Each structure stands twice: as C-alpha cells, then as structure tokens.
Amino acid sequence: MQKQPAMVLPGAVQMRIKSSQSNTGERLSQTKSMVLPEPDTLQKPINRHRRNQSQHNVDGSAGPQTILKGEYLNKAKIAEGGKKIRKNWTSTWVVLCSNQLLFYKESKQEAVANLKPGGKPDGVDLCGAVIEWTKEKSSRKHVIQITTPNGHEFLLQADHFPTICKWHDAIKKAVDSLSSGAGGQSCGRAALHRSNSTECLSRPTCEPSKPKPKEAKSEHRRSIMFKLNYSASDSADKNGVKNRLKKFISRRPSMKTLQEKGLIKDRVFGCHMLTLCDRERTTVPRFVKLCVEEVEKRGLDADGIYRVSGNLAVIQKLRFLVDQEEELDLGDSQWEDIHVITGALKMFFRELPEPLFPFRFFDSFVEAIKIKEPTQKIQAFKKLIHQLPKPNHNTMKVLFHHLRRVLMNSQQNLMSTQGISIVFGPTLMWPEFESGNMEVNMVYQNQIVESILIECVEIFGPESK
C-alpha cells in the first residue's frame, strides 16, 4: 500500500513536466513572433489614447483643445519674419485652441469640421507670443496685436469692445499657460495623435516643447549682438565716408575754374535778372528779345496768343537748348507752334529768382493801384518804374510795348487787356512772403499789369527803334 503511490508519483511528475514544457514552448513561440509587450500592458494606453481623442476632437480638429469657438473678427497681418508687409484687413473666422490661434476664410456649420481633407487653416503658434493693445498700428478702434517669436505680427479688431476684450483675455491666458508649462502636455498629445501609431505612446510628451524658449532666447541674443556689431561698424563706415568727403571737397576745383573749362555753363532759366544781363552785357535778356521778335513776326494774329498753352515737352526741349547756350533759331520747323515760344517766354519770367517787379517794390505798387484819381495813379506808377534797376526797367518796357502791339490785333487773336493782365499779373510780380490773402494779391497783380498796359506810352514813353 505504501509502495504504490511511490510508483505512480514519478510518472505524474513526468507528465506535468512535459505538459509544462510544451506550454512554455508554445508561449515562447508566440512571444517571439510579437514585437509589442504583453497585451495587458498595451490595452490601457490604447483605451486612454482613444479617450483623449474623443475629448480633444470637440471642434473637429485633431490635437489641441478648443478654448473659444469660432467668431468673426477683423484680421490683418502687418509683418512676416520681421519684415513689414502691406496691411490688408479681412473678416476672418477665428478659433482659439490651447496652443494656437486658427484663422478660417469662412464659417460653415462647424468651421473646423467642414475643413477639406488635407487642408490646413492659417494659424498662429502662441508659444512665446506677446499680445497687447495697440493704437499706433491702426486708426481703427479696439485693436490688439499678436507678435510671435519668429517675427510674425497680426492685428485683431472687433467693432464691439466686449467682444475683442473677451478674445484678448482668452489669448493672454493661453499664452501665459504655455509660458508656465501648463500647455506642454497638450502640445505633446497633439504630436502623439498626429503620429497615429501605438509605438509613440512610450515616448515622452513634454520634451519637444522644452528647447523652444531657449532657441528663442539664443536667437534674440544673437540678434542683439548682431545689431551692436553692425552699429559699431556702421559708425566706423560713416566716419570714413566723412573723411573721404572732406578730402574730395578740399581738392575739388572752384566754380570759376569749371566755367572757364566749359564743364559748367551758366543757366538762362532761373538766373537772376541782373546776373544774366551782366553776363550777356545787355539790359534786356537775349532770349526775351528773340521771343518777342518771333511772336511779332508770325504770331500777332494767332488765336489766344499768350492765353493758349503750348506743348510742355517741346517747351522743356527749348528751355534745355537755351540753358546750353546753343545757337538758337526760333524760326526752325521744330518751333513751328507759336504757343511753344510764348509758353517758354512765360516760363522764363515765372522761374526768375526775383520777379520782374522786385520784391521790395511789391507793396508800393499795391498802394499805387489803390489810388482812385487816375492821373495820380499814373504818376505813382511812373515814379516807381523809373526807380527799378535798369535791366528790370528796360525789359519791362520792351515787354509792355510788345503786349500793346498784341492788343492792337485783338480782332484776329481775340485777346483783351483784361485777358493779358490775367496771364501776366502773377507771372511778372508776386510777394516775397505769402502773408496776406492770395486771392486779394492776385486781384492787385492783375489790376497793376492792366493799368500799366493801358498807360504804356505815358509811363515808358514812346518806343525806341
């Protein structure tokens, strides 16, 4: 009775060992064919991953949690990568997530849910961003500015202050939470969800977001060092340029030397009357004589003479030739239009540094035109005109006698005394400083020219031949 159990026991043990060996062999074969850990350990992360997905897909987008649902705001991008760009306001559907601000062109039933597959909305990464109220960047009211570390700048605006204030507070809160590290986990979850693989679950989620502030700080430090180095080199370059300019100015030839060599020629247009007449050794500029002679030769009967404007391009061409002191033939075919010659003559008088009626005589002529008695008025004009410098007096005499001959052909050219005075009033005289009323001065200018034109012979005497 005692030996039987001893006989049976070894066999039972052998059977158990074989069965256990076969079972462990099957298990080993099964585990060798698998890369992932045991199913029990995988099941929990998978369920957690799906639960996170259901929690964070409230707005239809994969990843960060929605803080403020969509609302229409006015948006403008004013800088990209630190470079200023043209501001263009657009109405945009804005959605605030935990780590970014999303912009959609239009709102559908759910702006994010209706986004086309593969399409991505415009967005602003709020990590390290700065949000502040601004009045300088736009004339609109209720504007906030968002500046990112990479140099992007956005403006958001709403017509109602409570609306934009709500967005300002929410965005600022999201930025503060990201800077304090509370948003690092949500950024990690978004990265895990986009990878769409269970192998990524074992990777740390917060590590990728840590170096970003350091990189931003290092870039900021490098930019400051670059600016300091650039400013130092820039000041050195400026000093070098100043020294070279001083040497150049000290060595350059004088104006008289350049004029003697013919490199610089004295101008006719824009030259002072006394200087021009002294250079030409005459009391009437040569160009004025040429124009008067040509108009009297073939333009006294031209319709609207001195009132009609000529081709400005051709007038400028004539002016250039006169300033270059080229041999000038106003009878040439290129000056066929008589209004070009009259336009050039008017331009000559308008561009004088001091008008034909000198500045110091302006108030005296205005007082003379206010005299009501005709004889006293003429005598006052005559006295003032004879006090003028000789070039001004003689040029005025030639011009007014010429305009008198234009009036003698008024039936053909349809020009009147009043018409010519309107043209030549502001051309021949103007105040040195516009202190009074311009309209009143213009009336006086026209009346002065008209009175002198009517009494031309009495004031200047008969024309000398």
Side-chain angles (χ1 to χ4, degrees):
M1 300 258 329
Q2 295 178 354
K3 290 181 180 179
Q4 247 177 351
M7 294 286 293
V8 175
L9 188 59
V13 172
Q14 289 177 359
M15 289 296 292
R16 290 175 184 174
I17 293 172
K18 288 181 181 180
S19 61
S20 63
Q21 288 177 352
S22 63
N23 290 334
T24 54
E26 291 175 359
R27 288 177 183 172
L28 289 172
S29 63
Q30 291 176 1
T31 55
K32 287 179 181 178
S33 64
M34 297 177 65
V35 177
L36 297 174
E38 292 182 358
D40 294 337
T41 59
L42 276 175
Q43 189 65 26
K44 291 181 180 179
I46 292 173
N47 292 337
R48 189 184 303 114
H49 183 63
R50 289 174 181 169
R51 184 169 65 253
N52 291 339
Q53 181 178 359
S54 64
Q55 288 175 353
H56 294 292
N57 287 349
V58 175
D59 61 349
S61 63
Q65 183 180 5
T66 301
I67 298 176
L68 273 182
K69 291 187 177 181
E71 188 171 4
Y72 273 114
L73 297 176
N74 296 318
K75 184 204 76 169
K77 191 173 185 180
I78 60 174
E80 185 172 3
K83 295 182 178 180
K84 299 295 182 182
I85 59 176
R86 184 177 181 181
K87 180 170 58 181
N88 184 20
W89 287 101
T90 55
S91 182
T92 307
W93 185 262
V94 185
V95 176
L96 175 61
C97 299
S98 57
N99 66 336
Q100 59 182 337
L101 199 63
L102 300 177
F103 303 123
Y104 298 87
K105 292 184 179 179
E106 58 183 0
S107 169
K108 301 180 182 179
Q109 188 69 22
E110 286 289 340
V112 184
N114 291 336
L115 191 65
K116 294 181 180 180
K120 292 183 180 180
D122 295 332
V124 181
D125 187 4
L126 297 179
C127 292
V130 177
I131 178 171
E132 56 187 351
W133 296 97
T134 180
K135 293 182 179 179
E136 295 78 11
K137 299 298 177 69
S138 175
S139 58
R140 297 190 178 194
K141 294 181 179 179
H142 314 147
V143 180
I144 60 176
Q145 178 181 351
I146 302 173
T147 306
T148 63
N150 53 6
H152 298 335
E153 296 181 17
F154 297 85
L155 300 180
L156 292 180
Q157 185 265 345
D159 294 334
H160 300 287
F161 180 73
T163 301
I164 195 65
C165 191
K166 173 185 68 175
W167 280 90
H168 173 271
D169 296 342
I171 296 172
K172 187 171 181 60
K173 186 177 180 181
V175 171
D176 293 341
S177 64
L178 288 172
S179 61
S180 62
Q185 190 173 359
S186 62
C187 296
R189 288 174 184 169
L192 286 173
H193 191 81
R194 285 194 295 270
S195 65
N196 201 14
S197 172
T198 57
E199 294 180 0
C200 295
L201 292 171
S202 60
R203 298 179 183 176
T205 57
C206 298
E207 290 182 1
S209 62
K210 288 183 179 179
K212 289 183 179 179
K214 294 182 180 179
E215 292 176 1
K217 288 181 180 178
S218 61
E219 289 179 1
H220 181 65
R221 191 178 295 109
R222 285 197 298 270
S223 64
I224 292 175
M225 294 301 296
F226 174 76
K227 288 179 180 178
L228 291 174
N229 295 334
Y230 179 78
S231 60
S233 61
D234 189 33
S235 60
D237 292 341
K238 287 182 178 178
N239 291 332
V241 171
K242 287 181 179 178
N243 293 332
R244 288 195 293 270
L245 283 174
K246 287 179 180 178
K247 291 181 181 179
F248 173 76
I249 293 172
S250 62
R251 294 176 181 175
R252 68 175 183 174
S254 62
M255 181 69 73
K256 185 177 180 180
T257 305
L258 294 175
Q259 290 175 348
E260 290 175 354
K261 292 182 178 181
L263 298 177
I264 294 180
K265 295 181 178 180
D266 293 321
R267 296 178 302 168
V268 175
F269 282 75
C271 184
H272 198 279
M273 178 69 72
L274 298 177
T275 305
L276 180 60
C277 291
D278 183 62
R279 188 174 73 226
E280 295 180 351
R281 296 181 180 179
T282 181
T283 56
V284 180
R286 187 169 64 90
F287 179 68
V288 175
K289 290 182 180 179
L290 290 175
C291 291
V292 168
E293 291 173 0
E294 192 65 27
V295 171
E296 292 184 356
K297 186 187 298 183
R298 57 185 178 94
L300 290 177
D301 57 349
D303 187 8
I305 189 72
Y306 286 112
R307 177 176 54 82
V308 177
S309 301
N311 189 317
L312 183 58
V314 183
I315 294 174
Q316 292 289 1
K317 182 180 179 181
L318 177 58
R319 170 189 174 170
F320 176 78
L321 294 177
V322 173
D323 281 337
Q324 295 299 315
E325 295 185 355
E326 301 287 343
E327 288 296 331
L328 192 61
D329 181 14
L330 294 179
D332 192 87
S333 59
Q334 60 180 331
W335 322 120
E336 182 180 2
D337 185 6
I338 195 65
H339 300 298
V340 170
I341 298 174
T342 58
L345 181 60
K346 290 186 292 183
M347 181 180 287
F348 170 81
F349 285 115
R350 281 197 299 266
E351 294 195 0
L352 287 172
E354 187 175 18
L356 190 61
F357 288 77
F359 290 133
R360 62 182 183 276
F361 288 90
F362 182 84
D363 294 334
S364 300
F365 276 103
V366 171
E367 293 299 324
I369 195 64
K370 293 179 181 179
I371 299 174
K372 295 182 179 180
E373 207 282 318
T375 305
Q376 294 181 3
K377 182 187 298 185
I378 294 172
Q379 292 301 320
F381 279 138
K382 188 174 181 179
K383 182 179 179 180
L384 288 171
I385 288 173
H386 283 283
Q387 292 177 3
L388 296 175
K390 196 168 185 180
N392 298 66
H393 175 274
N394 291 356
T395 303
M396 199 178 295
K397 180 179 180 180
V398 170
L399 179 63
F400 276 94
H401 277 293
H402 164 67
L403 295 177
R404 182 170 171 271
R405 282 191 291 273
V406 170
L407 288 175
M408 293 172 64
N409 294 269
S410 60
Q411 292 185 353
Q412 290 80 24
N413 56 43
L414 304 179
M415 289 298 293
S416 63
T417 307
Q418 187 178 7
I420 290 181
S421 63
I422 291 174
V423 173
F424 279 94
T427 301
L428 300 180
M429 65 182 305
W430 59 86
E432 185 174 6
F433 305 104
E434 294 290 347
S435 56
N437 193 332
M438 291 182 61
E439 289 78 6
V440 175
N441 288 338
M442 188 171 293
V443 171
Y444 288 146
Q445 292 163 2
N446 299 345
Q447 291 178 352
I448 291 168
V449 171
E450 184 177 3
S451 298
I452 295 175
L453 187 57
I454 293 173
E455 303 295 338
C456 177
V457 177
E458 178 66 24
I459 294 174
F460 293 104
E463 185 179 5
S464 57
K465 304 234 177 168

